[in-house]
Amino acid sequence: MTVLSRARASSSLPKRFVRTFATPSALPVKDCSSITPPYPRLLQTLDEVRNVLPKGSKLTLAEKILYAHLRNPEESLGGGGKVRGERYLKLRPDRVAMQDASAQMALLQFMTCRLPSCAVPASIHCDHLIQAQTGAESDLSRSIEANREVFDFLESAALKYGIEFWRPGSGIIHQIVLENYAAPGLLMLGTDSHTPNAGGLGMLAIGVGGADAVDALTDTPWELKAPLVTGIKLTGELKGWATPKDLILHLAGKLTVRGGTGRILEYFGPGVAAQSCTGLATIANMGAEVGATTSTFPYSDNMRQYLHATGRGPVAKAADQAAKNGFLQADDGAEYDEVIEINLSELEPHFNGPFTPDLATPLSGFSSFLNDNKYPTTLSSALIGSCTNSSYEDMSRVASIAEQAKAAGLKSKVPFLVTPGSELIRATIERDGLQGTLEDVGATVLANACGPCIGQWKRDEKKGEDNAILTSFNRNFKARNDGNLKTMNFLASPEIVTAMAFSGDLNFNPATDSIPTPNGPFKFTPPSGDRLPPTGYTPGDLSYAPQPSPKPVPETEIAISPSSTRLEILEPFGTNFAGGKGELPQMTCLMRVRGKCTTDHISAAGAWLKYKGHLSNISENTLMTAVNDEGGQINVARDASGEETIPKTMQKYQARSEPWMLVVDDNYGEGSAREHAALQPRFYGCGMIVARSFARIHETNLKKQGILPLWFVNKDDYSKISALDKVTTSGLASILDGTSTTSIVTLKVGKPSGEIVEVEARHTLSTDQIEWLRAGSALNWIGEQARKSGKA
């Protein structure tokens, strides 16, 4: 059975081109059977855990949720000794969520396992491939046409394997997950780094690469090194212009982009219960910016109210009972590895940036910061929404600011773009007049999609010019939003961004300053709004939403054209250890990467998103904005024949079947969860990457694809390996065959002069990860296990 024509028909969504006001109504109670966590099983597993751990052990909330999802508590926790930061946990996730850009590679990898269906409930969300240009309707129509073959592929795969498919225009993955799937105590994997957004409902939602998602989809134990747990104690209450966004912006400044690596951020204290569920989601969302594994909060009345408001009363009732059994909060006396206390009463609005989300400046010092650094002080664009701040509460509060400005006769002085998080939010703010209020003061409402936040913004102004924008987004690396390396994106709350749009001057302080008008000076009063819509949510266009819990249709043909430039069937990677080899083959050092190298540097988004399902084509952007430490040039590498771009140099090594390796700096691979940043070097023949340090998700993605990630024991040894050096491993064989328990691998570095330099590096491979490496990739290993068990 082919579904190509059916997929096309449903993706075109003709009804959506003319908007009408949705009929106000309360959301009906949903069938929650597939979205309610299996609390009885989780509590039973937690009882087993307490029998394995030392008597009287006090557990944090994060530990309770993780340990309740262990497949075998004795295997993961038995034998005594330290768990956090040491043990690998083999877990059973409850659910998987995938956005359209990353879902392509995740599904292509899942297909190689040749299984008939998914082992856990899963969903696909079409949000990343919709480009913002002129407005919601035209942008959506144009993007559906431009990406039709990708949407057809995703929908056909969803039909074949029984996956819920959210069509283009339905909204941003993280907002939809919060509204439909998130639940207290759940463990979910998502193929996007901001998956932790769902932690606002008291669960653990963890961003992963597609190969990790395949673990859950194939019922393979998902492995995670037990994170450390940082406690964030909140006291006091937010006042004036301060918002939950300012809390996480402030915390990012304290922790930096590396401070949360290998840690779960668990919030507690009297200040937590006062925050709205969607406000907590904003905080959890940007935990990704400090490298945290995820963030979570104890179950609260505001979470309960949000579940009821979104049609999930049965989940709330089940969670109430689980909470009575002690599951959804930390044990009294539980200890954290570190505690950070924040008095919300003292918090002021913040701006973070430019070019990094951890450069935090309070509102009171922002003007001086700009002038001291000679940054632009004229605002060029203001953008609000995105997965970080697009809730009803966010929109109602910014509408209160817009109402004040409208009454004073003001309109936005700069392009003012608004991204609703979902069709539920868009329809509800339209019905309640909030959208009209924003449009009256000059706002352009974009499609329910990621848009400018992830680089899907066709911006014609300020190309190649220094300029400053304000956004309520979560990430602000160079060129991320509009492709312009000179655009400075300062992150702030949607309330501050909106107020600043009416001034156009970044020296303006909305809390203290006035704006001249013909009727005299005008000063804003602090924003206000509703946490939940007073008359309930209205669902809007239900044709975007999937049938809940669809059954697989195994005879469905996957819609991939053999001539496609957007989609490509994956071929399994080979292994470097065929024939019983224990050491990696000799590798040539391609280059030494200097400084910050995010996944945006390794595999750019923006215009390259269209090739997410075609490994050969997207690999041509590999490391194209990375800085070569030997010379300081961008996108320059060399082999024996001379200098070339980095991707072209990789292609030369690939053509010669010559293995190569990389040397990289601190926190290599920070940023998004995109596994292409691991797949692409592997495709070109990379066998090993040695770093001063790695970001968590990226290190795991490298392991999944059969690349050996090593950490310098002495970070100063970074400069001892140069381009064209010949590098071999020593001691790896005994680690792989289990005869050695050391974490040290010695690298023998042959210089062109004939000198041999030895460098010590450290591996972090678990027993299962060693099997991935030997097999050539985790998928190869999963396939081998499935064939042995007769499942494939």
Side-chain angles (χ1 to χ4, degrees), residues 467-654:
N467 74 104
I469 64 175
L470 291 179
T471 79
S472 68
F473 303 162
N474 45 35
R475 197 164 280 162
N476 58 354
F477 303 139
K478 284 186 178 182
R480 177 176 174 86
N481 304 114
D482 62 359
N484 181 2
L485 287 165
K486 295 184 176 181
T487 295
M488 302 180 189
N489 176 4
F490 295 95
L491 308 173
S493 69
E495 293 89 337
I496 289 292
V497 174
T498 300
M500 298 290 276
F502 296 104
S503 168
D505 182 358
L506 294 179
N507 289 305
F508 174 67
N509 183 334
T512 59
D513 297 345
S514 299
I515 299 174
T517 75
N519 298 320
F522 164 74
K523 184 175 181 294
F524 287 108
T525 58
S528 61
D530 296 302
R531 290 180 167 180
L532 297 170
T535 58
Y537 288 106
T538 189
D541 188 344
L542 292 174
S543 69
Y544 290 136
Q547 172 192 347
S549 305
K551 299 294 183 185
V553 183
E555 64 270 25
T556 304
E557 294 179 17
I558 299 295
I560 299 179
S561 167
S563 61
S564 175
T565 61
R566 302 284 302 271
L567 297 160
E568 179 182 51
I569 297 291
L570 288 179
E571 295 295 332
F573 292 130
T575 175
N576 286 312
F577 302 97
K581 294 176 184 174
E583 302 292 340
L584 282 169
Q586 177 179 279
M587 295 162 287
T588 304
C589 178
L590 178 87
M591 64 182 290
R592 198 166 60 227
V593 177
R594 179 192 297 175
K596 181 187 281 284
C597 192
T598 70
T599 49
D600 281 42
H601 292 85
I602 308 167
S603 177
W608 289 92
L609 284 172
K610 62 186 176 185
Y611 297 125
K612 283 285 191 176
H614 199 291
L615 185 55
S616 300
N617 284 345
I618 198 171
S619 293
E620 294 189 14
N621 76 10
T622 309
L623 285 165
M624 61 188 293
T625 55
V627 178
N628 192 323
D629 189 54
E630 298 175 74
Q633 297 162 294
I634 294 175
N635 196 21
V636 173
R638 60 191 173 95
D639 70 349
S641 63
E643 289 186 347
E644 203 23 294
T645 66
I646 296 172
K648 287 190 180 302
T649 305
M650 292 177 179
Q651 289 166 8
K652 289 182 179 180
Y653 282 110
Q654 182 190 42

Side-chain angles (χ1 to χ4, degrees), residues 372-439:
D372 289 347
N373 288 281
K374 297 183 171 53
Y375 290 146
T377 57
T378 299
L379 181 63
S380 65
S381 285
L383 302 94
I384 64 170
S386 87
C387 65
T388 321
N389 282 107
S390 57
S391 67
Y392 186 88
E393 179 180 22
D394 291 323
M395 294 300 172
S396 67
R397 286 173 61 85
V398 299
S400 77
I401 296 169
E403 286 281 10
Q404 294 180 53
K406 180 179 176 182
L410 296 174
K411 284 205 167 189
S412 175
K413 291 189 175 181
V414 298
F416 180 29
L417 306 181
V418 179
T419 306
S422 68
E423 173 62 5
L424 181 78
I425 296 299
R426 186 211 62 78
T428 306
I429 66 172
E430 182 185 52
R431 181 201 68 193
D432 292 351
L434 307 182
Q435 178 174 320
T437 296
L438 294 170
E439 291 174 331

